[in-house]
Amino acid sequence: MIRIPDCIFCLIAAGKIPAKKVYEDTNVLAFLDINPLSEGHTLVIPKTHYETISHMPEPELGGIFGIVKKLATKLKDNLRADGINIVQNNFKAAGQDIPHFHVHIIPRKTNDGILRIPLGKKAEGDTLDQTLRKLA
Ligand code: 5GP
Ligand code: ZN
């Protein structure tokens, strides 16, 4: 288990900082976000320190998303939410404040206005094809 001494989520995983635990197994911990966007806003983390999705080994990533699915369903049912956002920020530019991989599960109510990914501008000309070529 790789842990970074001054990482808040490593300290939570090690039980050195308290957290309101929603789920725990050998490799994964889920706990309530301390600044919830809505009731039940939950963070799911690997207990091992991986910085971003790109650093996560695929089996661990798959395991985490299996748990995210179960928790998202439970949060929606038990808190009578109307919807659920799964948000996962990677790197500072994308709004990742804590550099320890985590998945946000955010229960939503109709018209709560919490979060919406804005529509971009309609792609012009062959820009989408140019993008595809960069990804080939
Ligand atoms: P990020 O912006 O990195 O995707 O999200 C980090 C999240 O961690 C934020 O929503 C923030 O409220 C939450 N957070 C930061 N410090 C703590 C803490 O000590 N305990 C808990 N439970 N959540 C935290
Ligand atoms: Zn960490």
Side-chain angles (χ1 to χ4, degrees), residues 8-124:
I8 292 171
F9 287 176
C10 283
L11 291 168
I12 288 175
K16 291 182 178 153
I17 290 180
K20 304 291 183 195
K21 293 181 185 179
V22 176
Y23 171 88
E24 182 166 25
D25 66 27
T26 316
N27 302 312
V28 178
L29 180 65
F31 53 94
L32 297 178
D33 195 297
I34 204 166
N35 306 297
L37 280 164
S38 63
E39 185 188 14
H41 180 171
T42 295
L43 300 172
V44 188
I45 65 166
K47 289 185 175 177
T48 287
H49 184 93
Y50 300 111
E51 202 170 318
T52 71
I53 193 166
S54 303
H55 298 88
M56 284 285 297
E58 283 181 22
E60 266 108 311
L61 190 62
I64 286 219
F65 273 96
I67 292 158
V68 166
K69 178 197 165 172
K70 289 192 186 90
L71 290 177
T73 306
K74 186 177 190 176
L75 285 164
K76 181 169 183 297
D77 291 348
N78 291 23
L79 300 177
R80 299 178 189 283
D82 301 310
I84 295 277
N85 286 113
I86 306 299
V87 177
Q88 203 278 301
N89 301 321
N90 296 282
F91 302 100
K92 261 194 179 7
Q96 183 179 14
D97 286 334
I98 310 272
H100 179 131
F101 177 91
H102 53 280
V103 180
H104 296 257
I105 308 177
I106 306 166
R108 300 292 304 273
K109 298 278 193 196
T110 302
N111 296 326
D112 63 12
I114 290 171
L115 184 69
R116 177 93 208 183
I117 295 179
L119 269 188
K121 272 189 292 183
K122 190 160 173 56
E124 284 173 11

